[in-house]
Amino acid sequence: MKHYSVHELEERLVPLGRTYRETAPDRLHFNWTCSGIEFWFCGTCLTAVLEAYAAKEIDRDAMGNACERETWPWVAVFLDDEETPSKRFELSKPHDSYLLFASETEETHRIRLMKLTENLKTGAALCGISAQGQFLKPVLSARKRIEFIGDSITCGFGNETKDRNRAFFSDEENGWLSHAAIAARRLGMDWSQVSISGICLTPWEALPLPYAMNELYEYTDRVLEDRLEKQEYQRWDFEKHRTDYVVVNLGTNDTTAIMAQRDYEAAEDQFHQAYLSFLQTLRALHGPDATIICALGSMDYYLYHRLTKIVEEYKKSLCDEKVICFRYPRISVFDPLGACGHPHTVTHEKMAHALVRFINALETNA
């Protein structure tokens, strides 16, 4: 087995989603949902040296007292175009080696290592790979790209449990089975997911959270850089990573913040202006050709009427017709609920189906 550093493999690794490269120490962080790496390999064995970061979750012990527990990231390994991972495992230590692939005979595969859990709650980084075989030149595609911006719904929070009263457990959050990842695969597009559970579009005093989306979206991984105590934030290269579709599903948590205000109307106006500003930011970052889909659902639709007004105002003032509203289907009373009442994978499948139909119609009429 020969060990390769991240630097030595740089020409052979294709990043998936938003990843953050460090040179000292030599590692590649892949913290966002469904971010990771892809490479082509011919050989018999692969092991990866991975770092992991665990966050703390508030829970209850057997006596009902509040306590903290750690949540570690989960990752999956996919061979070629398989929908089901060949391996799925927890990174349960800060630093360890993990088997990615093994065969008695030499085989050639496209291998993807992908993080299933969300940023902030969990973190992961590649430090190197040991191989019995050789890394091949990447086969790059010219597929369209789609980016999903959202909260816990986009992350796939608790989508693999049927206990609606269940708290967050990282082994029950599967980003690969989120509506975002399912839709991207059905559309045949490369994708990225910029999503954090509980996040609002804009900061609210009534709902103090570590971040709002309009504070971190422009950066590669501000969450990581804050944890590493970096002095400056690395801006994401939108020019290099041109995106055809941007799907924004924000507003569910903002509704909670608005309901905590004495003056609902003033709070909605605040959201209105913040969303308008965010649309202008998205257009500036993604250029004139990207289609921006302003979505809401499938848990709450309180702000959807306001969202349609925002989009109408934006389109009228800037003559931008490539901004559209979309409403995800509501969770059916006949379908199971995930943790904390979040959509189960059954609902994620329905959400993905609806979005695929919507985007295919846009593609047909383009």
Side-chain angles (χ1 to χ4, degrees), residues 186-214:
R186 300 271 169 83
L187 290 164
M189 297 182 185
D190 294 325
W191 82 98
S192 57
Q193 290 171 241
V194 182
S195 54
I196 291 176
S197 288
I199 202 166
C200 296
L201 167 69
T202 189
W204 297 93
E205 289 185 8
L207 193 62
L209 296 164
Y211 302 97
M213 186 58 72
N214 60 5

Side-chain angles (χ1 to χ4, degrees), residues 207-220:
L207 193 62
L209 296 164
Y211 302 97
M213 186 58 72
N214 60 5
E215 296 176 321
L216 59 75
Y217 180 72
E218 297 180 45
Y219 306 107
T220 302

Side-chain angles (χ1 to χ4, degrees), residues 138-349:
V139 181
L140 302 178
S141 65
R143 305 200 308 173
K144 289 189 174 183
R145 294 183 59 85
I146 183 169
E147 181 161 82
F148 296 87
I149 306 169
D151 48 35
S152 54
I153 301 170
T154 301
C155 294
F157 182 108
N159 62 351
E160 287 201 307
T161 180
K162 293 182 179 181
D163 183 355
R164 64 174 301 167
N165 298 313
R166 183 93 160 150
F168 176 84
F169 288 86
S170 55
D171 62 326
E172 295 169 350
E173 180 179 73
N174 189 339
W176 180 257
L177 295 181
S178 69
H179 68 276
I182 295 170
R185 298 198 301 275
R186 300 271 169 83
L187 290 164
M189 297 182 185
D190 294 325
W191 82 98
S192 57
Q193 290 171 241
V194 182
S195 54
I196 291 176
S197 288
I199 202 166
C200 296
L201 167 69
T202 189
W204 297 93
E205 289 185 8
L207 193 62
L209 296 164
Y211 302 97
M213 186 58 72
N214 60 5
E215 296 176 321
L216 59 75
Y217 180 72
E218 297 180 45
Y219 306 107
T220 302
D221 192 344
R222 180 180 165 180
V223 175
L224 168 69
E225 290 184 305
D226 282 342
R227 178 161 58 82
L228 297 177
E229 300 181 339
K230 299 287 185 180
Q231 299 303 308
E232 295 183 3
Y233 298 129
Q234 180 189 94
R235 291 186 174 274
W236 181 243
D237 191 340
F238 290 90
E239 184 67 33
K240 182 179 178 181
H241 302 91
R242 277 300 179 196
T243 303
D244 298 279
Y245 290 92
V246 181
V247 181
V248 185
N249 189 4
L250 293 169
T252 300
N253 296 309
D254 295 87
T255 296
T256 302
I258 289 170
M259 292 301 173
Q261 309 292 321
R262 291 184 178 179
D263 189 339
Y264 291 175
E265 186 173 348
E268 282 193 37
D269 287 342
Q270 180 181 334
F271 175 80
H272 188 115
Q273 294 305 316
Y275 206 110
L276 274 176
S277 178
F278 191 59
L279 284 178
Q280 293 169 9
T281 298
L282 291 177
R283 179 56 72 214
L285 294 173
H286 288 283
D289 298 326
T291 298
I292 301 172
I293 300 173
C294 301
L296 201 60
S298 59
M299 293 178 70
D300 179 89
Y301 300 91
Y302 174 79
L303 285 170
Y304 189 76
H305 181 62
R306 172 69 72 152
L307 190 58
T308 61
K309 289 184 174 181
I310 294 169
V311 171
E312 287 174 8
E313 180 180 332
Y314 174 85
K315 293 169 72 172
K316 185 176 180 180
S317 62
L318 295 174
C319 299
D320 187 346
E321 293 300 319
K322 302 201 79 171
V323 180
I324 325 165
C325 284
F326 173 73
R327 181 181 173 122
Y328 282 108
R330 184 181 293 276
I331 299 174
S332 170
V333 295
F334 300 106
D335 291 336
L337 287 173
C340 299
H342 282 74
H344 184 266
T345 53
V346 171
T347 301
H348 277 279
E349 178 71 33

